[in-house]
Amino acid sequence: MQLWISLYLPTHSLDALFPNWSAEAPQAAVLRQGRVCACTPAALALGLRPGMRRGSALGLAPGIILREEDPQAEDACLRQLALAMLQYTPRLAYFDAHTLVLDVGASLRLFGGPRALGRRLAASLAALQARARLGMAPTAAGACMLAWRAGTGVRRRTLCTDTLRRLLDELPAASLPAGETHAAWFDDIGCSTLGQLRCLPRKGLQRRSAPAVVRSLDAAYGDADEHFVWFEAPPRFAQRHDFIERIEHVAGLRHAAVRLIELLCGWLQARHGATDRLDFLLHHEKGRHARPPTALGLAFSQAAWQAGDFLAVLDERLRGMSLEAPAIALELSVDRIEARPGQSQGLFIEPTQWASREGRLLDVLRVRLGPQGLWQPRPRADHRPEHANLWEPLTPDSYPGRGAARPQEAADAPTVDAAGASDTPDGQAAGRFPGTDRPFWLLRAAIPLETRNDRPCYQGAALRLVRGPERIEAGWWDDAGHVSRDYFVAQDASAARYWIYLDHKPGQPRWFLHGLFA
């Protein structure tokens, strides 16, 4: 299915020079060679019109803000918008200085059809705070012309060529891309609509106007092929957002970060890649109060390429962050990308997809709780319980399925005291072992138990042996020493269960408490 979407930026000149003109500069205008070429609705209400001289504009609106046009700034804004739109199609091109066209025919199935794709585009434009009009038609020129005439009661979207032709027939003849310079001639011959223009003899129309008029007319109606130079993403991603005012609170950073992430998603889509790390730089004031930029890095367990995956971790990081100095700009760069995994076409979720979801959750928790907030077990080939299972901080590189990190020493392993209170960060479990006879909580050091009538007692209550023994003899090969123990599951009068052992060291045997059952 052939389908094009056009993005027309009616206030592009204003947006490039006054990024927040609707709130901070409602009366503003852009000058081209001393004449008004674009102005805000508030300025239009005061009588300003395109083509008006600078002096006349100041006479009508003494408080108006005037600035000369900046083609470089406009081109930079348009390139950023194009970069963000690459996440929806790689076939994107400039139609003119204020309009982009996207060939989305091959993207409809991926995004769930034209309506769903239109909603996704609108959401991205809102995140970028881009004021754009969307047109949708089977031809690029037709989509642009429908977008240009938005607000005049003309339908802006159609999927059918016949419907497009009927809509184009009603448009003014001067709305043709190549027909603006011939508007006066169209009026002189009484040709006011494109439908009337198409009824003219083609040879006479081409001879009296220009060949470009006939070509653009045929292209808009789908009677001729359209050719574009496709937009290409840069080889490396590094984008910067300059703030209009100094940002003193973290909440003011999010809008700029969302904008940069939208650009990144388009760049990653064009490169068919994903990344597991984002490097933000907060630039501060210069001059007497100059200080080096503040680095803000985000690490992910799984390489991502969609905005939602990045924003979930970003929001958690910003929630616990404070600015040490006002920021004047935010920069985002990505130095490494990797191949994107293919999308499964199966009916059920595959194990790799479950692992990816778990990794996203761990990313959010790690940022929320801090680097020492998540711990993971590292089992070892040792029968001694205190050496069989160690703990270490969880890092993205050591997430399940991403390799193992070096285990810590046994002395660093989190444990619990006899009452079940853990010294693990945030009260996590200290140890768990396979099998039904092993407790969840393991003590750092076994607690000697009193004996009464040859029965072990804990906190003054005699314990009844309900399961065991389990003999463990190991450790003769290292400095920790040889152990010879018989482990039992014991229970007190209130049905609480304990993991105890009888030590067979030379001398008098003694009972010890080593773990607690949940």
Side-chain angles (χ1 to χ4, degrees):
M1 178 180 182
Q2 187 68 27
L3 187 64
W4 292 80
I5 292 180
S6 66
L7 300 179
Y8 169 54
L9 309 175
T11 59
H12 184 51
S13 299
L14 287 169
D15 296 337
L17 296 178
F18 308 95
N20 198 22
W21 58 264
S22 60
E24 299 179 1
Q27 296 181 11
V30 180
L31 303 178
R32 179 184 301 152
Q33 297 180 352
R35 293 180 178 271
V36 175
C37 64
C39 54
T40 62
L44 287 173
L46 294 176
L48 270 72
R49 295 294 181 268
M52 184 175 293
R53 294 183 179 275
R54 179 188 183 95
S56 301
L58 289 174
L60 290 174
I64 194 171
I65 303 175
L66 302 176
R67 292 181 184 173
E68 287 291 335
E69 69 171 348
D70 188 347
Q72 292 184 350
E74 294 183 15
D75 181 68
C77 289
L78 196 61
R79 289 185 65 84
Q80 285 191 343
L81 180 60
L83 187 60
M85 294 300 105
L86 284 177
Q87 58 187 302
Y88 301 110
T89 175
R91 295 169 60 86
L92 181 149
Y94 296 153
F95 193 86
D96 60 23
H98 292 179
T99 310
L100 297 175
V101 288
L102 292 73
D103 183 0
V104 297
S107 305
L108 295 179
R109 181 180 177 185
L110 176 63
F111 292 100
R115 292 180 181 272
L117 178 56
R119 290 192 294 267
R120 290 283 298 271
L121 278 169
S124 292
L125 293 172
L128 296 169
Q129 289 192 339
R131 300 174 178 86
R133 295 178 184 170
L134 273 69
M136 186 181 296
T139 66
C144 291
M145 294 169 67
L146 294 181
W148 293 341
R149 304 299 297 178
T152 60
V154 177
R155 180 178 171 183
R156 291 184 296 167
R157 304 180 185 183
T158 180
L159 308 181
C160 180
T161 302
D162 293 338
T163 304
L164 173 64
R165 293 185 176 186
R166 291 197 300 269
L167 294 175
L168 292 179
D169 284 344
E170 301 174 359
L171 295 182
S175 61
L176 199 66
E180 185 176 355
T181 57
H182 303 278
W185 181 71
F186 294 154
D187 291 337
D188 291 341
I189 63 175
C191 186
S192 59
T193 65
L194 290 178
Q196 295 173 345
L197 190 64
R198 291 188 70 204
C199 294
L200 297 178
R202 294 179 60 84
K203 292 185 178 180
L205 176 62
Q206 182 172 342
R207 184 173 62 253
R208 291 174 178 266
S209 57
V213 174
V214 178
R215 287 197 300 269
S216 63
L217 187 64
D218 291 341
Y221 279 83
D223 297 327
D225 294 333
E226 299 175 288
H227 303 280
F228 298 100
V229 177
W230 303 114
F231 175 81
E232 294 185 3
R236 180 180 179 273
F237 184 86
Q239 295 289 330
R240 173 178 170 134
H241 180 88
D242 292 298
F243 299 117
I244 302 175
E245 298 178 347
R246 297 185 309 168
I247 300 297
E248 299 181 353
H249 303 284
V250 175
L253 300 178
R254 191 181 187 278
H255 161 65
V258 170
R259 180 184 179 89
L260 293 175
I261 287 176
E262 284 288 341
L263 304 183
L264 172 64
C265 291
W267 182 81
L268 289 174
Q269 182 71 22
R271 306 277 294 184
H272 301 286
T275 183
D276 60 358
R277 182 171 180 83
L278 303 186
D279 293 311
F280 287 95
L281 276 182
L282 278 172
H283 295 273
H284 304 288
E285 292 181 287
K286 301 178 181 179
R288 288 190 311 165
H289 304 288
R291 58 180 301 161
T294 300
L296 175 61
L298 300 180
F300 304 87
S301 60
Q302 302 285 338
W305 63 92
Q306 295 181 342
D309 297 330
F310 296 127
L311 292 177
V313 179
L314 173 69
D315 289 340
E316 291 297 334
R317 182 63 182 274
L318 294 180
R319 185 175 290 114
M321 177 183 171
S322 60
L323 291 181
E324 298 180 358
I328 62 172
L330 181 65
E331 183 180 355
L332 173 60
S333 61
V334 171
D335 294 325
R336 63 182 185 186
I337 63 172
E338 58 186 70
R340 182 182 306 175
Q343 186 175 6
S344 173
Q345 299 298 323
L347 177 62
F348 300 103
I349 297 179
E350 296 184 353
T352 54
Q353 293 176 287
W354 281 115
S356 176
R357 294 185 179 183
E358 292 174 359
R360 303 288 184 233
L361 174 61
L362 292 176
D363 288 336
V364 175
L365 291 177
R366 185 172 180 272
V367 173
R368 180 179 298 177
L369 302 176
Q372 299 295 320
L374 288 181
W375 291 67
Q376 63 179 344
R378 285 301 181 196
R380 295 175 60 189
D382 196 321
H383 291 287
R384 294 169 294 179
E386 62 269 24
H387 299 290
N389 196 34
L390 305 183
W391 289 83
E392 63 184 11
L394 185 66
T395 62
D397 291 335
S398 61
Y399 283 2
R402 299 204 62 174
R406 179 182 63 85
Q408 293 182 341
E409 296 299 327
D412 297 331
T415 56
V416 296
D417 58 21
S422 171
D423 67 358
T424 311
D426 297 314
Q428 297 181 31
R432 182 163 188 173
F433 305 93
T436 58
D437 293 341
R438 299 298 177 95
F440 192 86
W441 300 99
L442 183 70
L443 307 182
R444 176 184 292 275
I447 299 176
L449 297 178
E450 297 180 356
T451 57
R452 186 185 306 159
N453 298 327
D454 294 329
R455 294 181 60 184
C457 299
Y458 177 59
Q459 294 181 345
L463 301 179
R464 182 171 61 92
L465 305 182
V466 297
R467 192 174 301 170
E470 176 188 357
R471 174 64 60 87
I472 294 180
E473 287 195 56
W476 59 85
W477 56 83
D478 62 17
D479 297 335
H482 173 256
V483 299
S484 177
R485 305 168 182 168
D486 284 337
Y487 278 88
F488 297 84
V489 177
Q491 180 174 304
D492 62 12
S494 61
R497 291 197 169 190
Y498 307 89
W499 203 40
I500 65 175
Y501 68 83
L502 182 62
D503 194 346
H504 293 290
K505 286 183 179 180
Q508 184 180 2
R510 295 195 61 182
W511 290 94
F512 291 85
L513 174 64
H514 205 178
L516 303 173
F517 287 91

